[in-house]
């Protein structure tokens, strides 16, 4: 079955710097890659997603890139702010296995 | 209404109790999910309902029993739980079972004594 790995497990950046979180997946049939943000004590919420027919997607300070050949995808957050502090989960999904597989998560701390 | 709601927010139960968790969505989503989440871990899929039918059971012990009475409601019946079942139980819904955003409820914090 699909396996999603995520690095780093913890990340600490200064406010205003960029943060990058990287994920890899194993199943070449995976074709949908969402990213969820979970603040402490809150529910996971989708922040951005990308489908396999697209290499990059951007939404204001957040961007995601996908390399299908290498089975890598990454989250880029620019001009980080303290409210970006949270746990970020990458995930993979496919109609072939009909569910979402989450990575283990990255705890991001933005230091004011 | 673009939210998934869950009740109760907190639940404490003994190992011999029977309780139920409830989840509701009014977004017309056809897929609904139960996840279990331990601290500092990702959500762990338990069950998937598609068009009110159970489509995935991730080998969950029978002390957890899901039910989907209609397209808007999802229940999780609990019986004879163990202390290691203490966790945050998240419900989610999505327009379809794959390749679409999942909307999570706020969760039920369950403690089994």
């Amino acid at each position: 079955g699909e396996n999603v790995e995520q690095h780093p497990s913890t990340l600490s950046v200064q406010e205003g710097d960029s943060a990058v979180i990287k994920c890899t997946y194993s199943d070449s049939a995976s074709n949908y890659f969402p990213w969820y943000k979970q603040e402490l004590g809150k529910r996971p919420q989708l922040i951005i997603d990308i489908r396999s027919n697209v290499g990059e997607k951007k939404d204001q300070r957040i961007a995601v890139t996908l390399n299908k050949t290498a089975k890598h995808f990454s989250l880029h957050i620019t001009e980080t702010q303290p409210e970006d502090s949270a746990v970020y989960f990458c995930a993979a999904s496919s109609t072939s296995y009909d569910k979402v597989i989450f990575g283990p998560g990255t705890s991001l701390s933005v230091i004011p | 209404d673009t939210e998934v709601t869950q009740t109760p927010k907190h639940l404490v139960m003994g190992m011999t109790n029977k309780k139920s968790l409830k989840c509701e969505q009014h977004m017309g989503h056809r897929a609904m999910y139960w996840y279990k989440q331990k601290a500092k871990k990702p959500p762990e899929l338990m069950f998937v309902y598609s068009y009110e039918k159970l489509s995935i059971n991730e080998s969950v012990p029978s002390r957890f029993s899901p039910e989907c009475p209609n397209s808007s409601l999802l229940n999780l019946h609990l019986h004879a739980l163990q202390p290691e079942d203490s966790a945050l139980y998240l419900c989610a819904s999505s327009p379809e079972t794959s390749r679409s955003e999942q909307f999570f409820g706020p969760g039920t914090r369950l403690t089994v004594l």
Side-chain angles (χ1 to χ4, degrees), chain A residues 31-32 36 38 43-44 46 51 89 93-95 98-100 102-104, chain B residues 3-4 35 37 41-43 45 56 58 97-102 104-106:
Chain A
N31 52 17
Y32 173 65
Y36 287 86
Q38 188 173 24
R43 72 190 81 189
L46 184 81
R51 299 181 190 277
F89 295 104
S93 178
S94 167
T95 50
D98 226 19
K99 58 187 176 183
V100 172
F102 286 89
Chain B
E3 274 211 337
V4 176
Y35 288 91
Q37 188 177 31
K41 297 290 187 183
L45 184 65
I56 294 177
E58 293 286 272
T97 52
S98 62
R99 294 173 48 80
S100 65
E101 175 181 359
Q102 292 193 6
F104 284 86

PDB file of all heavy atoms in Angstrom, chain A residues 31-32 36 38 43-44 46 51 89 93-95 98-100 102-104, chain B residues 3-4 35 37 41-43 45 56 58 97-102 104-106:
ATOM      1  N   ASN A  31      -2.436  10.433  -7.070  1.00  0.00           N
ATOM      2  CA  ASN A  31      -2.591  11.544  -8.001  1.00  0.00           C
ATOM      3  C   ASN A  31      -3.227  12.789  -7.387  1.00  0.00           C
ATOM      4  O   ASN A  31      -3.598  13.728  -8.081  1.00  0.00           O
ATOM      5  CB  ASN A  31      -3.401  11.088  -9.229  1.00  0.00           C
ATOM      6  CG  ASN A  31      -4.706  10.420  -8.842  1.00  0.00           C
ATOM      7  OD1 ASN A  31      -5.179  10.555  -7.711  1.00  0.00           O
ATOM      8  ND2 ASN A  31      -5.295   9.699  -9.771  1.00  0.00           N
ATOM      9  N   TYR A  32      -3.362  12.802  -6.065  1.00  0.00           N
ATOM     10  CA  TYR A  32      -3.895  13.977  -5.379  1.00  0.00           C
ATOM     11  C   TYR A  32      -3.120  14.136  -4.081  1.00  0.00           C
ATOM     12  O   TYR A  32      -2.980  13.172  -3.307  1.00  0.00           O
ATOM     13  CB  TYR A  32      -5.390  13.790  -5.112  1.00  0.00           C
ATOM     14  CG  TYR A  32      -6.015  14.885  -4.263  1.00  0.00           C
ATOM     15  CD1 TYR A  32      -6.085  16.202  -4.729  1.00  0.00           C
ATOM     16  CD2 TYR A  32      -6.538  14.609  -3.009  1.00  0.00           C
ATOM     17  CE1 TYR A  32      -6.650  17.199  -3.962  1.00  0.00           C
ATOM     18  CE2 TYR A  32      -7.100  15.605  -2.238  1.00  0.00           C
ATOM     19  CZ  TYR A  32      -7.155  16.895  -2.715  1.00  0.00           C
ATOM     20  OH  TYR A  32      -7.717  17.890  -1.962  1.00  0.00           O
ATOM     21  N   TYR A  36      -2.457  19.610   5.051  1.00  0.00           N
ATOM     22  CA  TYR A  36      -3.337  20.039   6.135  1.00  0.00           C
ATOM     23  C   TYR A  36      -2.511  20.702   7.227  1.00  0.00           C
ATOM     24  O   TYR A  36      -1.397  20.262   7.537  1.00  0.00           O
ATOM     25  CB  TYR A  36      -4.105  18.847   6.721  1.00  0.00           C
ATOM     26  CG  TYR A  36      -5.202  18.335   5.812  1.00  0.00           C
ATOM     27  CD1 TYR A  36      -4.927  17.406   4.814  1.00  0.00           C
ATOM     28  CD2 TYR A  36      -6.514  18.794   5.944  1.00  0.00           C
ATOM     29  CE1 TYR A  36      -5.932  16.939   3.970  1.00  0.00           C
ATOM     30  CE2 TYR A  36      -7.517  18.333   5.105  1.00  0.00           C
ATOM     31  CZ  TYR A  36      -7.213  17.413   4.123  1.00  0.00           C
ATOM     32  OH  TYR A  36      -8.208  16.967   3.290  1.00  0.00           O
ATOM     33  N   GLN A  38      -2.692  21.793  11.277  1.00  0.00           N
ATOM     34  CA  GLN A  38      -3.436  21.555  12.513  1.00  0.00           C
ATOM     35  C   GLN A  38      -2.804  22.357  13.637  1.00  0.00           C
ATOM     36  O   GLN A  38      -1.703  22.058  14.099  1.00  0.00           O
ATOM     37  CB  GLN A  38      -3.463  20.065  12.877  1.00  0.00           C
ATOM     38  CG  GLN A  38      -4.388  19.751  14.048  1.00  0.00           C
ATOM     39  CD  GLN A  38      -4.540  18.261  14.301  1.00  0.00           C
ATOM     40  OE1 GLN A  38      -3.685  17.452  13.943  1.00  0.00           O
ATOM     41  NE2 GLN A  38      -5.642  17.859  14.933  1.00  0.00           N
ATOM     42  N   ARG A  43      -8.874  21.377  14.748  1.00  0.00           N
ATOM     43  CA  ARG A  43      -9.037  20.331  13.726  1.00  0.00           C
ATOM     44  C   ARG A  43      -8.061  20.553  12.574  1.00  0.00           C
ATOM     45  O   ARG A  43      -7.653  21.687  12.316  1.00  0.00           O
ATOM     46  CB  ARG A  43     -10.480  20.379  13.197  1.00  0.00           C
ATOM     47  CG  ARG A  43     -10.778  21.595  12.307  1.00  0.00           C
ATOM     48  CD  ARG A  43     -12.250  21.733  11.998  1.00  0.00           C
ATOM     49  NE  ARG A  43     -12.996  22.365  13.065  1.00  0.00           N
ATOM     50  CZ  ARG A  43     -14.328  22.453  13.110  1.00  0.00           C
ATOM     51  NH1 ARG A  43     -15.058  21.939  12.144  1.00  0.00           N
ATOM     52  NH2 ARG A  43     -14.940  23.040  14.114  1.00  0.00           N
ATOM     53  N   PRO A  44      -7.678  19.501  11.851  1.00  0.00           N
ATOM     54  CA  PRO A  44      -6.869  19.694  10.635  1.00  0.00           C
ATOM     55  C   PRO A  44      -7.686  20.461   9.589  1.00  0.00           C
ATOM     56  O   PRO A  44      -8.891  20.220   9.433  1.00  0.00           O
ATOM     57  CB  PRO A  44      -6.595  18.263  10.156  1.00  0.00           C
ATOM     58  CG  PRO A  44      -6.865  17.388  11.333  1.00  0.00           C
ATOM     59  CD  PRO A  44      -7.929  18.081  12.125  1.00  0.00           C
ATOM     60  N   LEU A  46      -7.417  21.989   5.434  1.00  0.00           N
ATOM     61  CA  LEU A  46      -6.686  22.010   4.175  1.00  0.00           C
ATOM     62  C   LEU A  46      -6.147  23.410   3.916  1.00  0.00           C
ATOM     63  O   LEU A  46      -6.871  24.398   4.059  1.00  0.00           O
ATOM     64  CB  LEU A  46      -7.605  21.621   3.023  1.00  0.00           C
ATOM     65  CG  LEU A  46      -6.937  21.522   1.661  1.00  0.00           C
ATOM     66  CD1 LEU A  46      -6.242  20.177   1.522  1.00  0.00           C
ATOM     67  CD2 LEU A  46      -7.937  21.729   0.536  1.00  0.00           C
ATOM     68  N   ARG A  51      -2.802  18.411  -7.843  1.00  0.00           N
ATOM     69  CA  ARG A  51      -3.126  17.170  -8.555  1.00  0.00           C
ATOM     70  C   ARG A  51      -1.980  16.821  -9.484  1.00  0.00           C
ATOM     71  O   ARG A  51      -1.174  17.681  -9.851  1.00  0.00           O
ATOM     72  CB  ARG A  51      -4.444  17.332  -9.313  1.00  0.00           C
ATOM     73  CG  ARG A  51      -5.588  17.620  -8.371  1.00  0.00           C
ATOM     74  CD  ARG A  51      -6.938  17.769  -9.042  1.00  0.00           C
ATOM     75  NE  ARG A  51      -7.913  18.266  -8.076  1.00  0.00           N
ATOM     76  CZ  ARG A  51      -8.577  17.519  -7.213  1.00  0.00           C
ATOM     77  NH1 ARG A  51      -8.382  16.216  -7.191  1.00  0.00           N
ATOM     78  NH2 ARG A  51      -9.437  18.047  -6.366  1.00  0.00           N
ATOM     79  N   PHE A  89       0.632  18.394   7.913  1.00  0.00           N
ATOM     80  CA  PHE A  89       0.594  17.015   7.408  1.00  0.00           C
ATOM     81  C   PHE A  89       0.490  17.041   5.891  1.00  0.00           C
ATOM     82  O   PHE A  89      -0.433  17.665   5.335  1.00  0.00           O
ATOM     83  CB  PHE A  89      -0.613  16.266   7.959  1.00  0.00           C
ATOM     84  CG  PHE A  89      -0.606  16.052   9.442  1.00  0.00           C
ATOM     85  CD1 PHE A  89      -1.414  16.824  10.275  1.00  0.00           C
ATOM     86  CD2 PHE A  89       0.191  15.081  10.022  1.00  0.00           C
ATOM     87  CE1 PHE A  89      -1.415  16.639  11.645  1.00  0.00           C
ATOM     88  CE2 PHE A  89       0.190  14.885  11.396  1.00  0.00           C
ATOM     89  CZ  PHE A  89      -0.607  15.666  12.212  1.00  0.00           C
ATOM     90  N   SER A  93      -3.424  10.626  -2.123  1.00  0.00           N
ATOM     91  CA  SER A  93      -4.699   9.946  -2.344  1.00  0.00           C
ATOM     92  C   SER A  93      -4.791   9.480  -3.784  1.00  0.00           C
ATOM     93  O   SER A  93      -4.126  10.034  -4.671  1.00  0.00           O
ATOM     94  CB  SER A  93      -5.854  10.902  -2.019  1.00  0.00           C
ATOM     95  OG  SER A  93      -7.110  10.309  -2.265  1.00  0.00           O
ATOM     96  N   SER A  94      -5.619   8.479  -4.003  1.00  0.00           N
ATOM     97  CA  SER A  94      -5.815   7.946  -5.346  1.00  0.00           C
ATOM     98  C   SER A  94      -7.133   7.199  -5.401  1.00  0.00           C
ATOM     99  O   SER A  94      -7.549   6.602  -4.411  1.00  0.00           O
ATOM    100  CB  SER A  94      -4.676   6.988  -5.706  1.00  0.00           C
ATOM    101  OG  SER A  94      -4.997   6.242  -6.859  1.00  0.00           O
ATOM    102  N   THR A  95      -7.748   7.203  -6.559  1.00  0.00           N
ATOM    103  CA  THR A  95      -8.968   6.415  -6.724  1.00  0.00           C
ATOM    104  C   THR A  95      -8.653   4.927  -6.654  1.00  0.00           C
ATOM    105  O   THR A  95      -9.539   4.117  -6.426  1.00  0.00           O
ATOM    106  CB  THR A  95      -9.642   6.725  -8.067  1.00  0.00           C
ATOM    107  OG1 THR A  95      -8.659   6.631  -9.116  1.00  0.00           O
ATOM    108  CG2 THR A  95     -10.218   8.124  -8.064  1.00  0.00           C
ATOM    109  N   ASP A  98      -8.620   4.745  -2.757  1.00  0.00           N
ATOM    110  CA  ASP A  98      -9.852   5.378  -2.276  1.00  0.00           C
ATOM    111  C   ASP A  98      -9.804   5.915  -0.855  1.00  0.00           C
ATOM    112  O   ASP A  98     -10.803   5.862  -0.126  1.00  0.00           O
ATOM    113  CB  ASP A  98     -11.014   4.375  -2.387  1.00  0.00           C
ATOM    114  CG  ASP A  98     -12.228   5.045  -2.999  1.00  0.00           C
ATOM    115  OD1 ASP A  98     -12.069   6.104  -3.633  1.00  0.00           O
ATOM    116  OD2 ASP A  98     -13.336   4.521  -2.823  1.00  0.00           O
ATOM    117  N   LYS A  99      -8.669   6.409  -0.416  1.00  0.00           N
ATOM    118  CA  LYS A  99      -8.576   7.019   0.898  1.00  0.00           C
ATOM    119  C   LYS A  99      -7.372   7.952   0.896  1.00  0.00           C
ATOM    120  O   LYS A  99      -6.616   8.009  -0.073  1.00  0.00           O
ATOM    121  CB  LYS A  99      -8.440   5.971   1.992  1.00  0.00           C
ATOM    122  CG  LYS A  99      -7.253   5.036   1.844  1.00  0.00           C
ATOM    123  CD  LYS A  99      -7.312   3.924   2.881  1.00  0.00           C
ATOM    124  CE  LYS A  99      -6.173   2.944   2.666  1.00  0.00           C
ATOM    125  NZ  LYS A  99      -6.241   1.806   3.633  1.00  0.00           N
ATOM    126  N   VAL A 100      -7.203   8.688   1.968  1.00  0.00           N
ATOM    127  CA  VAL A 100      -6.087   9.616   2.089  1.00  0.00           C
ATOM    128  C   VAL A 100      -5.068   9.013   3.048  1.00  0.00           C
ATOM    129  O   VAL A 100      -5.421   8.577   4.142  1.00  0.00           O
ATOM    130  CB  VAL A 100      -6.578  10.988   2.612  1.00  0.00           C
ATOM    131  CG1 VAL A 100      -5.405  11.889   2.925  1.00  0.00           C
ATOM    132  CG2 VAL A 100      -7.482  11.643   1.581  1.00  0.00           C
ATOM    133  N   PHE A 102      -1.836   9.881   5.264  1.00  0.00           N
ATOM    134  CA  PHE A 102      -1.151  11.040   5.826  1.00  0.00           C
ATOM    135  C   PHE A 102       0.315  10.734   6.107  1.00  0.00           C
ATOM    136  O   PHE A 102       0.663   9.608   6.482  1.00  0.00           O
ATOM    137  CB  PHE A 102      -1.814  11.460   7.147  1.00  0.00           C
ATOM    138  CG  PHE A 102      -3.135  12.153   6.965  1.00  0.00           C
ATOM    139  CD1 PHE A 102      -4.315  11.421   6.922  1.00  0.00           C
ATOM    140  CD2 PHE A 102      -3.201  13.532   6.840  1.00  0.00           C
ATOM    141  CE1 PHE A 102      -5.541  12.051   6.755  1.00  0.00           C
ATOM    142  CE2 PHE A 102      -4.423  14.171   6.679  1.00  0.00           C
ATOM    143  CZ  PHE A 102      -5.590  13.429   6.634  1.00  0.00           C
ATOM    144  N   GLY A 103       1.147  11.752   5.943  1.00  0.00           N
ATOM    145  CA  GLY A 103       2.512  11.685   6.428  1.00  0.00           C
ATOM    146  C   GLY A 103       2.523  11.871   7.935  1.00  0.00           C
ATOM    147  O   GLY A 103       1.506  12.234   8.528  1.00  0.00           O
ATOM    148  N   PRO A 104       3.674  11.655   8.586  1.00  0.00           N
ATOM    149  CA  PRO A 104       3.752  11.710  10.056  1.00  0.00           C
ATOM    150  C   PRO A 104       3.674  13.113  10.643  1.00  0.00           C
ATOM    151  O   PRO A 104       3.489  13.252  11.851  1.00  0.00           O
ATOM    152  CB  PRO A 104       5.106  11.063  10.367  1.00  0.00           C
ATOM    153  CG  PRO A 104       5.895  11.203   9.122  1.00  0.00           C
ATOM    154  CD  PRO A 104       4.931  11.169   7.983  1.00  0.00           C
TER     155      PRO A 104
ATOM    156  N   GLU B   3     -19.639  23.415   7.799  1.00  0.00           N
ATOM    157  CA  GLU B   3     -18.890  22.824   8.894  1.00  0.00           C
ATOM    158  C   GLU B   3     -19.364  21.406   9.198  1.00  0.00           C
ATOM    159  O   GLU B   3     -20.516  21.053   8.956  1.00  0.00           O
ATOM    160  CB  GLU B   3     -19.054  23.660  10.153  1.00  0.00           C
ATOM    161  CG  GLU B   3     -18.080  24.809  10.262  1.00  0.00           C
ATOM    162  CD  GLU B   3     -17.737  25.112  11.712  1.00  0.00           C
ATOM    163  OE1 GLU B   3     -18.523  24.764  12.597  1.00  0.00           O
ATOM    164  OE2 GLU B   3     -16.679  25.710  11.931  1.00  0.00           O
ATOM    165  N   VAL B   4     -18.417  20.643   9.732  1.00  0.00           N
ATOM    166  CA  VAL B   4     -18.737  19.335  10.285  1.00  0.00           C
ATOM    167  C   VAL B   4     -18.807  19.513  11.800  1.00  0.00           C
ATOM    168  O   VAL B   4     -17.900  20.097  12.398  1.00  0.00           O
ATOM    169  CB  VAL B   4     -17.654  18.301   9.918  1.00  0.00           C
ATOM    170  CG1 VAL B   4     -17.939  16.958  10.579  1.00  0.00           C
ATOM    171  CG2 VAL B   4     -17.560  18.134   8.401  1.00  0.00           C
ATOM    172  N   TYR B  35     -11.699   9.019  12.115  1.00  0.00           N
ATOM    173  CA  TYR B  35     -10.263   8.917  12.358  1.00  0.00           C
ATOM    174  C   TYR B  35     -10.021   8.906  13.864  1.00  0.00           C
ATOM    175  O   TYR B  35     -10.752   9.517  14.628  1.00  0.00           O
ATOM    176  CB  TYR B  35      -9.524  10.133  11.795  1.00  0.00           C
ATOM    177  CG  TYR B  35      -9.407  10.210  10.298  1.00  0.00           C
ATOM    178  CD1 TYR B  35     -10.370  10.862   9.530  1.00  0.00           C
ATOM    179  CD2 TYR B  35      -8.307   9.666   9.639  1.00  0.00           C
ATOM    180  CE1 TYR B  35     -10.240  10.967   8.150  1.00  0.00           C
ATOM    181  CE2 TYR B  35      -8.168   9.762   8.260  1.00  0.00           C
ATOM    182  CZ  TYR B  35      -9.136  10.412   7.526  1.00  0.00           C
ATOM    183  OH  TYR B  35      -9.000  10.515   6.172  1.00  0.00           O
ATOM    184  N   GLN B  37      -6.888  10.011  16.491  1.00  0.00           N
ATOM    185  CA  GLN B  37      -5.632  10.757  16.507  1.00  0.00           C
ATOM    186  C   GLN B  37      -5.041  10.780  17.907  1.00  0.00           C
ATOM    187  O   GLN B  37      -5.674  11.265  18.846  1.00  0.00           O
ATOM    188  CB  GLN B  37      -5.816  12.183  15.981  1.00  0.00           C
ATOM    189  CG  GLN B  37      -4.497  12.912  15.807  1.00  0.00           C
ATOM    190  CD  GLN B  37      -4.634  14.303  15.207  1.00  0.00           C
ATOM    191  OE1 GLN B  37      -5.639  14.989  15.410  1.00  0.00           O
ATOM    192  NE2 GLN B  37      -3.622  14.733  14.444  1.00  0.00           N
ATOM    193  N   LYS B  41       0.619  12.802  16.474  1.00  0.00           N
ATOM    194  CA  LYS B  41       0.561  11.819  15.386  1.00  0.00           C
ATOM    195  C   LYS B  41      -0.461  12.261  14.339  1.00  0.00           C
ATOM    196  O   LYS B  41      -1.350  13.067  14.637  1.00  0.00           O
ATOM    197  CB  LYS B  41       0.142  10.446  15.931  1.00  0.00           C
ATOM    198  CG  LYS B  41       1.122   9.860  16.931  1.00  0.00           C
ATOM    199  CD  LYS B  41       2.408   9.452  16.263  1.00  0.00           C
ATOM    200  CE  LYS B  41       3.304   8.705  17.242  1.00  0.00           C
ATOM    201  NZ  LYS B  41       4.606   8.345  16.622  1.00  0.00           N
ATOM    202  N   PRO B  42      -0.353  11.730  13.127  1.00  0.00           N
ATOM    203  CA  PRO B  42      -1.364  12.068  12.120  1.00  0.00           C
ATOM    204  C   PRO B  42      -2.681  11.356  12.413  1.00  0.00           C
ATOM    205  O   PRO B  42      -2.703  10.376  13.170  1.00  0.00           O
ATOM    206  CB  PRO B  42      -0.748  11.540  10.819  1.00  0.00           C
ATOM    207  CG  PRO B  42       0.150  10.437  11.253  1.00  0.00           C
ATOM    208  CD  PRO B  42       0.701  10.860  12.596  1.00  0.00           C
ATOM    209  N   PRO B  43      -3.770  11.846  11.819  1.00  0.00           N
ATOM    210  CA  PRO B  43      -5.030  11.112  11.932  1.00  0.00           C
ATOM    211  C   PRO B  43      -4.869   9.702  11.356  1.00  0.00           C
ATOM    212  O   PRO B  43      -4.260   9.515  10.303  1.00  0.00           O
ATOM    213  CB  PRO B  43      -6.002  11.937  11.095  1.00  0.00           C
ATOM    214  CG  PRO B  43      -5.391  13.308  11.038  1.00  0.00           C
ATOM    215  CD  PRO B  43      -3.923  13.086  11.047  1.00  0.00           C
ATOM    216  N   LEU B  45      -6.867   6.520   9.962  1.00  0.00           N
ATOM    217  CA  LEU B  45      -8.189   6.160   9.422  1.00  0.00           C
ATOM    218  C   LEU B  45      -8.748   4.920  10.108  1.00  0.00           C
ATOM    219  O   LEU B  45      -8.042   3.920  10.291  1.00  0.00           O
ATOM    220  CB  LEU B  45      -8.080   5.926   7.919  1.00  0.00           C
ATOM    221  CG  LEU B  45      -9.384   5.626   7.197  1.00  0.00           C
ATOM    222  CD1 LEU B  45     -10.325   6.833   7.241  1.00  0.00           C
ATOM    223  CD2 LEU B  45      -9.111   5.208   5.754  1.00  0.00           C
ATOM    224  N   ILE B  56     -14.729   1.066   3.747  1.00  0.00           N
ATOM    225  CA  ILE B  56     -13.418   0.697   4.278  1.00  0.00           C
ATOM    226  C   ILE B  56     -13.516   0.550   5.798  1.00  0.00           C
ATOM    227  O   ILE B  56     -14.048   1.416   6.482  1.00  0.00           O
ATOM    228  CB  ILE B  56     -12.340   1.742   3.930  1.00  0.00           C
ATOM    229  CG1 ILE B  56     -12.099   1.786   2.410  1.00  0.00           C
ATOM    230  CG2 ILE B  56     -11.032   1.423   4.655  1.00  0.00           C
ATOM    231  CD1 ILE B  56     -11.097   2.850   1.973  1.00  0.00           C
ATOM    232  N   GLU B  58     -10.597  -0.289   8.522  1.00  0.00           N
ATOM    233  CA  GLU B  58      -9.160  -0.514   8.633  1.00  0.00           C
ATOM    234  C   GLU B  58      -8.824  -1.482   9.769  1.00  0.00           C
ATOM    235  O   GLU B  58      -8.021  -1.182  10.652  1.00  0.00           O
ATOM    236  CB  GLU B  58      -8.435   0.818   8.838  1.00  0.00           C
ATOM    237  CG  GLU B  58      -8.504   1.753   7.647  1.00  0.00           C
ATOM    238  CD  GLU B  58      -7.610   1.306   6.498  1.00  0.00           C
ATOM    239  OE1 GLU B  58      -6.426   1.685   6.488  1.00  0.00           O
ATOM    240  OE2 GLU B  58      -8.103   0.572   5.623  1.00  0.00           O
ATOM    241  N   THR B  97     -14.721  10.040  -2.175  1.00  0.00           N
ATOM    242  CA  THR B  97     -13.804   9.359  -1.251  1.00  0.00           C
ATOM    243  C   THR B  97     -12.340   9.606  -1.565  1.00  0.00           C
ATOM    244  O   THR B  97     -11.494   9.341  -0.736  1.00  0.00           O
ATOM    245  CB  THR B  97     -14.044   7.833  -1.253  1.00  0.00           C
ATOM    246  OG1 THR B  97     -14.005   7.356  -2.601  1.00  0.00           O
ATOM    247  CG2 THR B  97     -15.374   7.499  -0.615  1.00  0.00           C
ATOM    248  N   SER B  98     -12.002  10.079  -2.722  1.00  0.00           N
ATOM    249  CA  SER B  98     -10.591  10.340  -3.006  1.00  0.00           C
ATOM    250  C   SER B  98     -10.483  11.596  -3.854  1.00  0.00           C
ATOM    251  O   SER B  98     -11.470  12.058  -4.425  1.00  0.00           O
ATOM    252  CB  SER B  98      -9.954   9.154  -3.735  1.00  0.00           C
ATOM    253  OG  SER B  98     -10.580   8.952  -4.984  1.00  0.00           O
ATOM    254  N   ARG B  99      -9.299  12.152  -3.910  1.00  0.00           N
ATOM    255  CA  ARG B  99      -9.019  13.309  -4.752  1.00  0.00           C
ATOM    256  C   ARG B  99      -9.885  14.518  -4.430  1.00  0.00           C
ATOM    257  O   ARG B  99     -10.188  15.318  -5.314  1.00  0.00           O
ATOM    258  CB  ARG B  99      -9.131  12.941  -6.237  1.00  0.00           C
ATOM    259  CG  ARG B  99      -8.072  11.939  -6.694  1.00  0.00           C
ATOM    260  CD  ARG B  99      -8.327  11.478  -8.103  1.00  0.00           C
ATOM    261  NE  ARG B  99      -8.600  12.550  -9.038  1.00  0.00           N
ATOM    262  CZ  ARG B  99      -7.684  13.321  -9.600  1.00  0.00           C
ATOM    263  NH1 ARG B  99      -6.409  13.153  -9.301  1.00  0.00           N
ATOM    264  NH2 ARG B  99      -8.014  14.269 -10.460  1.00  0.00           N
ATOM    265  N   SER B 100     -10.327  14.651  -3.189  1.00  0.00           N
ATOM    266  CA  SER B 100     -11.049  15.858  -2.814  1.00  0.00           C
ATOM    267  C   SER B 100     -10.780  16.203  -1.360  1.00  0.00           C
ATOM    268  O   SER B 100     -10.443  15.326  -0.554  1.00  0.00           O
ATOM    269  CB  SER B 100     -12.556  15.690  -3.054  1.00  0.00           C
ATOM    270  OG  SER B 100     -13.099  14.704  -2.231  1.00  0.00           O
ATOM    271  N   GLU B 101     -10.952  17.501  -1.032  1.00  0.00           N
ATOM    272  CA  GLU B 101     -10.665  17.998   0.303  1.00  0.00           C
ATOM    273  C   GLU B 101     -11.551  17.311   1.327  1.00  0.00           C
ATOM    274  O   GLU B 101     -12.758  17.122   1.111  1.00  0.00           O
ATOM    275  CB  GLU B 101     -10.908  19.506   0.348  1.00  0.00           C
ATOM    276  CG  GLU B 101     -10.754  20.106   1.736  1.00  0.00           C
ATOM    277  CD  GLU B 101     -11.028  21.595   1.758  1.00  0.00           C
ATOM    278  OE1 GLU B 101     -11.320  22.164   0.687  1.00  0.00           O
ATOM    279  OE2 GLU B 101     -10.968  22.192   2.855  1.00  0.00           O
ATOM    280  N   GLN B 102     -10.958  16.951   2.454  1.00  0.00           N
ATOM    281  CA  GLN B 102     -11.722  16.446   3.581  1.00  0.00           C
ATOM    282  C   GLN B 102     -11.928  17.581   4.571  1.00  0.00           C
ATOM    283  O   GLN B 102     -11.000  18.318   4.896  1.00  0.00           O
ATOM    284  CB  GLN B 102     -10.992  15.283   4.250  1.00  0.00           C
ATOM    285  CG  GLN B 102     -10.926  14.042   3.363  1.00  0.00           C
ATOM    286  CD  GLN B 102     -10.488  12.809   4.099  1.00  0.00           C
ATOM    287  OE1 GLN B 102     -10.322  12.793   5.313  1.00  0.00           O
ATOM    288  NE2 GLN B 102     -10.318  11.719   3.366  1.00  0.00           N
ATOM    289  N   PHE B 104     -12.822  18.398   8.339  1.00  0.00           N
ATOM    290  CA  PHE B 104     -12.810  17.720   9.628  1.00  0.00           C
ATOM    291  C   PHE B 104     -13.713  18.422  10.633  1.00  0.00           C
ATOM    292  O   PHE B 104     -13.845  19.650  10.634  1.00  0.00           O
ATOM    293  CB  PHE B 104     -11.381  17.695  10.194  1.00  0.00           C
ATOM    294  CG  PHE B 104     -10.494  16.694   9.525  1.00  0.00           C
ATOM    295  CD1 PHE B 104      -9.811  17.014   8.356  1.00  0.00           C
ATOM    296  CD2 PHE B 104     -10.336  15.422  10.059  1.00  0.00           C
ATOM    297  CE1 PHE B 104      -8.978  16.086   7.732  1.00  0.00           C
ATOM    298  CE2 PHE B 104      -9.512  14.485   9.443  1.00  0.00           C
ATOM    299  CZ  PHE B 104      -8.832  14.818   8.280  1.00  0.00           C
ATOM    300  N   GLY B 105     -14.300  17.615  11.504  1.00  0.00           N
ATOM    301  CA  GLY B 105     -14.999  18.156  12.658  1.00  0.00           C
ATOM    302  C   GLY B 105     -13.990  18.496  13.744  1.00  0.00           C
ATOM    303  O   GLY B 105     -12.798  18.187  13.618  1.00  0.00           O
ATOM    304  N   PRO B 106     -14.444  19.129  14.836  1.00  0.00           N
ATOM    305  CA  PRO B 106     -13.526  19.538  15.908  1.00  0.00           C
ATOM    306  C   PRO B 106     -13.035  18.373  16.758  1.00  0.00           C
ATOM    307  O   PRO B 106     -12.066  18.524  17.512  1.00  0.00           O
ATOM    308  CB  PRO B 106     -14.361  20.505  16.741  1.00  0.00           C
ATOM    309  CG  PRO B 106     -15.771  20.070  16.502  1.00  0.00           C
ATOM    310  CD  PRO B 106     -15.823  19.574  15.088  1.00  0.00           C
TER     311      PRO B 106
END
